[in-house]
Each structure stands twice: as structure tokens, then as C-alpha cells.
Amino acid sequence: MFRIWFERDMPDHVAATIAGLATPIGPGTATPQDLLSSVEEADAIIASSLATYDGPAMDRAPHLRVIARTGIGVDKIDLGAATKRGIAVCNTPDAPTISTAEHTITLMMSVAKRVEGSQAALRSGGRDFFGSHQGREVAGTVLGLVGIGRIGTNVARMAHGLSMTVIAYDPFIRAAGAAKAGIQMVDSLDRLLADADVVSLHVPLTSETEYLMNAEHIARMKPEAILVNTARGRLVDHDALLAALDSGRLF
């Protein structure tokens, strides 16, 4: 039977699915210093988002035939190295669509309503919790989506249910198609940043999008706008983001 190495612990229902077809291995002996411990035996890898799969990592598993991602992004897999070694790389673009879209809305609402700060204030007591609460309503505000693929389009659908106006910037999407989903396309990222009360990122990590939200672009956002990123972390310059939060530039 084929041996499948799992980057994260295998859920019970997956064990039942592959029973009799393949033998699961890993990651029980993995350490922070070696996330790929025991990968040497693998014919296939189920990759999450912890480890990096470059040429040397692939060479540790001489029988490796396929690396399958549990999400859409393959930025932690060296596709050239895999091709050179005859290793197929697969992803699952539909798997996280709804959960990520729902999480985007959750984060937006958590920030808008200041859930964490409000919870802390409520627990600590105080004389006038409601008078000091500084949450805001999202109904009637503008949500700006940077990228409207599977996830972004579902975020738009959910945002319409909250009575938000949805605009988007995506150079790969035609305006006519977006209009059918009730999304108004804008012609530049700068225009979106200037108009949106909430900016949500839904693009892959590439050389063009790395640190897309840098100090310059953050400065072009509306004062006290909300920034949500449920895509890759390196889309955002975190130092610039922290500076904008510390100064009160962002909500």
C-alpha cells in the first residue's frame, strides 16, 4: 500500500476513508527543528501550511510521487523542483472557500464591534460599559475586495446580506461578470483604498502581490478604515500595519 505522510494530525474521518488503500505516516515525531520528520517513507504528502517543500525536502523522500495541498496556495512548494523530480503537485481550491469567506466576515465584525476589547471591559466591570463602547455598524458602508475569485465572491454575497455596498479591484475579472454578483468594479487599487470603509484581501502571494499593503497603500486608505487579510500573511507589511494601528490611522 502507498504511504501517505500527513503534515498535520489526520482527522478520524480521513483514516476511515483511506483504510485499506494507504498507510498513514507522520507527523508524530515532528519537532520545531524538523517539521518533516519521518517523511523519508512517503509515497505522497498531504501538505498544510507549516512546512516548506523545496528540493532538499523532496529529496528526503526518494519514493515521493505527489504533494497535495489542503488549501489553494502552493507558495510553500517549489513547483520547479517538483517538476524536475517528476512529482505531481495538487491543490484543493474549493475546500476552504466557504469557511474562509465566513471567517472574513467574522473578523470584519469582530473589529467593527470591538469584540475583544468590549469583552475585556465587560469582564473588568466599570460604571458605564455601554457609554464607553466604540463599536460601529457596517450596514451602509463600503466593502472593498482586492481579488474576487471563489472566496472574494462569497464574501461579497455575505456582505450584501449585511446591507454593505461591495466594490472590487481585480485586473483578471471583467466588470460585466462582477455586476451579476452585485459587485462594482473599480479601475485601480488606489481608487478602492480611497473609497472602502473595509478592505479585504483575497489574492494569492506572488512576486507582484508580496507586501501589497505597504506603508504607501495603507496611507491611502480612509482614516479609521478596517483591514482584513484572510489570504497570505506576506501580502501585508506588518511593521507598516502596526504603525498605522498605533497611530490610530486604522480602526
Side-chain angles (χ1 to χ4, degrees):
M1 284 192 291
F2 292 115
R3 293 160 295 184
I4 304 177
W5 188 87
F6 286 80
E7 185 179 308
R8 285 192 166 100
D9 292 331
M10 180 178 58
D12 291 340
H13 71 276
V14 175
T17 300
I18 68 172
L21 300 174
T23 301
I25 55 177
T29 59
T31 66
Q33 293 75 33
D34 186 8
L35 295 174
L36 299 176
S37 178
S38 73
V39 77
E40 290 80 4
E41 305 171 23
D43 297 300
I45 289 174
I46 304 295
S48 296
S49 58
L50 300 176
T52 297
Y53 299 91
D54 54 14
M58 296 173 195
D59 289 340
R60 291 181 58 174
H63 304 293
L64 185 62
R65 300 184 183 185
V66 60
I67 300 173
R69 273 280 289 118
T70 56
I72 188 171
V74 292
D75 46 277
K76 283 198 168 185
I77 303 174
D78 186 332
L79 299 180
T83 300
K84 182 178 179 180
R85 290 162 176 77
I87 299 169
V89 176
C90 312
N91 65 352
T92 51
D94 288 316
T97 296
I98 297 301
S99 60
T100 305
E102 289 179 348
H103 193 59
T104 299
I105 298 296
T106 299
L107 292 177
M108 177 186 71
M109 296 300 294
S110 294
V111 174
K113 301 302 182 183
R114 291 192 164 171
V115 170
E116 185 175 0
S118 297
Q119 182 188 51
L122 187 61
R123 288 181 180 276
S124 65
R127 186 167 177 272
D128 187 8
F129 166 74
F130 291 103
S132 62
H133 179 57
Q134 298 295 317
R136 60 171 66 166
E137 295 179 347
V138 300
T141 63
V142 177
L143 171 62
L145 301 174
V146 183
I148 50 169
R150 295 174 179 85
I151 296 170
T153 300
N154 275 281
V155 171
R157 177 176 56 81
M158 296 174 190
H160 286 139
L162 295 170
S163 299
M164 301 182 76
T165 297
V166 181
I167 63 174
Y169 172 66
D170 190 327
F172 301 102
I173 300 295
R174 293 183 178 179
K180 293 180 181 179
I183 303 170
Q184 177 186 340
M185 299 297 292
V186 296
D187 57 7
S188 69
L189 177 61
D190 287 347
R191 169 72 184 279
L192 181 139
L193 297 177
D195 291 349
D197 300 292
V198 180
V199 174
S200 188
L201 308 181
H202 301 284
V203 295
L205 177 62
T206 67
S207 58
E208 289 79 20
T209 62
E210 186 171 22
Y211 303 125
L212 177 69
M213 294 306 297
N214 52 26
E216 178 183 356
H217 281 146
I218 290 174
R220 293 179 182 176
M221 294 174 65
K222 279 186 176 182
E224 294 197 339
I226 294 172
L227 176 63
V228 178
N229 179 23
T230 51
R232 291 297 186 260
R234 293 208 312 274
L235 296 177
V236 179
D237 180 334
H238 292 142
D239 290 337
L241 174 61
L242 287 172
L245 290 169
D246 289 341
S247 69
R249 173 68 184 169
L250 294 182
F251 191 70

